[in-house]
Amino acid sequence: MTHRLLGITALAAATALTMTACGNSSSAPVAQTDGEVSGEVTMWMYPVIKDEAKNREFWEKTEKAFESENPDVDFNVELQTFDKRDTQISAALAANSGPDIVMITPDQASTYHEVGGLLPVDEAIDDEKDSFYTSGIEAATIEDQVYGVPMFQNVNTTAYNKEIFEEAGLELPKTWEDIKEAAPILAEKDISVLEYVGSPEQTLNLTFYPFLWQAGGSIFTEDGSDIAFDSPEGIEALQFILDLQEMGGVVQSAGTDSPAIEGSPMARGQVALRATTSLPELAQLRGALGEETVVLGEPLEGEVQATFGNPGLMALTSINEEDNRQAAYAVLDFLSTAEFQSEFTKLASNFPTRTDVELPGTGPDYEALEAALEYAIPGEPHAAARQVMAALAPYLQSALRGDLSAEEALTQAAEEARGILSRT
C-alpha cells in the first residue's frame, strides 16, 4: 500500500499564526454549540495526556464545560488504558454496547470501517474542515467520507544520549551505516547503540515498521491485496536489527523488554539512541539521564528516511443511535474547535491538526519534531492491519531469540498473514 506521508507542508507557518487564549493548562475550553441538542454521549478516551492526575482533571472540566452550554446533553468521558485497546473496542462494536465516540488511529479506522463499526463525521465538522491540515483529513478519509475528527498529531524521532557518543569520539549517527560503524565501538564499552523493544506490549509501528519503511519496504502491497513485508526490503530491515544484536548493538533482552521508559536500558545509560521517541518520552529520558544529556535529531535513514507519526482521531461508532446523532455531532464539533485543541495539545505535548493553532512549544525539540513530520507515516491503513501486526510480532521475537533467521521469520509470518487476508 502506498505510504501516505504526514508531511504537513504548512506546519512551518503554524508558529506564526495566532489563536484565542483559553486560560491555564488545567482549564477546559469553552463549548461552542448552541445548547439546543439533547441526548447522552459516552466517549472512550485514552491517556494521551501522560500525567494521570492532569488527564483526569482536564476531562472532568471538559465534561462540565460542554454540559454548561448543552444542558440537555449528558456527556460522559470514560478514561481507558492502551492495554488491549483493539480487543476492547472490537468487543464493544460486536456487542453494540459501548462508546458513541472513541479515540482511534487511521489504521484502526480502516479496520473498524470495514466491519461497519464507524459512522462518517463530515456533518459534524463541515464548518471547520478547511481549518485542518489536509494530511490529517486525508488520514481520516475512507471512500470520500471523513471517519474521525483529527484532534492531535503524534510524531516520533530519534533521541540520542549525546554524552555516550561524545565520550566515544563519535558523531551522532544519522544513517544505518553510521549505526553499524558505531555499534562495535560502543559494544567495547558495554553499551548498545540502538534500543529495540520487541515485547508484544509495544506496537510494531514504533519498533519494526519504521525500519521496514526506512529500507523502502511496506507491510502490504500497493493495492492492499497481498503481504509485502517478506520482501528483500523486509528481510534487510530485520537482518539489520539482528546483525546489530549479534555485535552487541542491541541488547540481548530486546525481544522481551518492556516499552516503558522508566527502567529501560536507555534510561539506565546502557543504550545510546532510541529511533522512535515522542516529546513526553523525551521528558522521561531527561528525567532519568539529565536535561542536557538527551537530544533529538531527524528520523534515521536507510534507503530513505522514515518514522511513525499519525493523527489521533475521535471517531463516531455505529453504536450511536440515530436519535442521539445530533448530540454526538455537538460533542465532535466541540472537540474540533481551535480553543479546545490548543489546550489539549499543550497538555499532551502533541502537535495540532489545525492551521490556526500554535505549536505547543518552541525551541530545538519542537524544531526536530516539526522536521520529522515530513517523514512520518501513519501506519498502513488496511482492514487486517492489526491482525497482521499481531501475527508478525511473535515471529520477530523468535528471530531476536535466535530461533529463526530473518528470512525464516518473515516467510513464516507472511504465510500466516496471508491466511488472515484470505479470511478478511
Side-chain angles (χ1 to χ4, degrees), residues 356-375:
D356 52 355
V357 176
E358 290 181 335
L359 300 184
T362 59
D365 296 338
Y366 289 94
E367 291 171 5
L369 288 165
E370 182 182 357
L373 285 167
E374 180 181 351
Y375 308 104

Side-chain angles (χ1 to χ4, degrees), residues 140-408:
T141 298
I142 304 171
E143 298 175 358
D144 299 324
Q145 289 185 297
V146 180
Y147 282 88
V149 175
M151 194 166 67
F152 63 93
Q153 170 70 47
N154 281 316
V155 67
N156 297 269
T157 195
T158 312
Y160 301 92
N161 183 326
K162 69 173 185 178
E163 288 186 358
I164 289 177
F165 291 104
E166 288 173 353
E167 291 173 3
L170 297 169
E171 296 291 327
L172 299 181
K174 299 179 180 179
T175 68
W176 285 16
E177 288 302 316
D178 294 340
I179 290 174
K180 286 189 284 189
E181 290 175 9
I185 298 172
L186 295 181
E188 291 182 359
K189 302 175 182 295
D190 293 324
I191 294 174
S192 298
V193 67
L194 175 71
E195 182 169 88
Y196 185 88
V197 178
S199 167
E201 295 176 68
Q202 183 67 294
T203 170
L204 297 186
N205 282 325
L206 295 174
T207 56
F208 179 64
Y209 286 3
F211 290 103
L212 174 65
W213 298 327
Q214 289 164 18
S218 61
I219 309 305
F220 302 98
T221 56
E222 187 171 352
D223 63 2
S225 65
D226 196 9
I227 295 299
F229 61 70
D230 57 341
S231 64
E233 292 83 4
I235 295 170
E236 180 186 8
L238 183 52
Q239 191 63 54
F240 170 68
I241 297 164
L242 298 180
D243 287 346
L244 286 177
Q245 186 179 43
E246 185 175 353
M247 66 177 76
V250 169
V251 297
Q252 293 301 312
S253 60
T256 57
D257 279 346
S258 165
I261 296 294
E262 184 178 357
S264 68
M266 186 162 180
R268 297 195 303 267
Q270 298 171 343
V271 174
L273 74 86
R274 196 169 190 267
T276 52
T277 308
S278 66
L279 202 56
E281 290 167 335
L282 174 66
Q284 290 180 284
L285 286 173
R286 285 180 173 156
L289 298 169
E291 191 68 26
E292 303 300 321
T293 302
V294 187
V295 297
L296 292 181
E298 291 189 4
L300 296 176
E301 180 177 1
E303 291 297 318
V304 297
Q305 279 184 278
T307 187
F308 175 70
N310 65 351
L313 307 177
M314 300 311 299
L316 182 62
T317 75
S318 56
I319 295 168
N320 180 253
E321 299 287 347
E322 182 68 35
D323 60 3
N324 205 29
R325 191 67 38 81
Q326 293 305 313
Y329 284 166
V331 171
L332 289 170
D333 176 65
F334 172 51
L335 298 177
S336 71
T337 62
E339 291 82 5
F340 177 87
Q341 191 171 115
S342 174
E343 280 297 314
F344 182 73
T345 53
K346 283 180 182 177
L347 277 175
S349 296
N350 282 316
F351 283 74
T353 59
R354 291 180 60 112
T355 60
D356 52 355
V357 176
E358 290 181 335
L359 300 184
T362 59
D365 296 338
Y366 289 94
E367 291 171 5
L369 288 165
E370 182 182 357
L373 285 167
E374 180 181 351
Y375 308 104
I377 296 171
E380 297 189 32
H382 192 286
R386 293 285 163 147
Q387 294 168 280
V388 167
M389 183 184 292
L392 173 56
Y395 290 97
L396 296 175
Q397 280 189 296
S398 294
L400 287 165
R401 289 196 304 265
D403 298 336
L404 296 172
S405 69
E407 184 172 359
E408 288 169 341

Side-chain angles (χ1 to χ4, degrees), residues 30-195:
V30 177
Q32 300 296 312
T33 52
D34 57 16
E36 295 179 357
V37 295
S38 63
E40 182 176 350
V41 178
T42 297
M43 185 173 88
W44 282 2
M45 187 63 200
Y46 294 84
V48 179
I49 299 172
K50 302 301 182 184
D51 185 297
E52 185 176 347
K54 289 182 179 178
N55 185 45
R56 186 169 299 280
E57 179 185 9
F58 177 80
W59 287 110
E60 287 175 354
K61 288 178 178 287
T62 297
E63 286 181 355
K64 292 177 182 176
F66 178 84
E67 290 177 347
S68 70
E69 295 294 326
N70 297 269
D72 294 326
V73 178
D74 183 10
F75 179 37
N76 301 298
V77 180
E78 296 183 357
L79 301 180
Q80 309 293 337
T81 64
F82 282 117
D83 183 42
K84 299 180 180 178
R85 177 170 60 156
D86 287 307
T87 302
Q88 178 192 40
I89 296 173
S90 297
L93 293 175
N96 196 38
S97 175
D100 299 277
I101 298 169
V102 63
M103 192 205 85
I104 59 175
T105 58
D107 59 333
Q108 289 175 310
S110 180
T111 300
Y112 301 140
H113 170 266
E114 186 75 13
V115 296
L118 299 184
L119 300 170
V121 300
D122 302 76
E123 186 175 334
I125 61 170
D126 263 346
D127 294 339
E128 298 287 337
K129 190 180 293 185
D130 291 343
S131 298
F132 288 89
Y133 289 110
T134 302
S135 59
I137 294 295
E138 287 181 348
T141 298
I142 304 171
E143 298 175 358
D144 299 324
Q145 289 185 297
V146 180
Y147 282 88
V149 175
M151 194 166 67
F152 63 93
Q153 170 70 47
N154 281 316
V155 67
N156 297 269
T157 195
T158 312
Y160 301 92
N161 183 326
K162 69 173 185 178
E163 288 186 358
I164 289 177
F165 291 104
E166 288 173 353
E167 291 173 3
L170 297 169
E171 296 291 327
L172 299 181
K174 299 179 180 179
T175 68
W176 285 16
E177 288 302 316
D178 294 340
I179 290 174
K180 286 189 284 189
E181 290 175 9
I185 298 172
L186 295 181
E188 291 182 359
K189 302 175 182 295
D190 293 324
I191 294 174
S192 298
V193 67
L194 175 71
E195 182 169 88

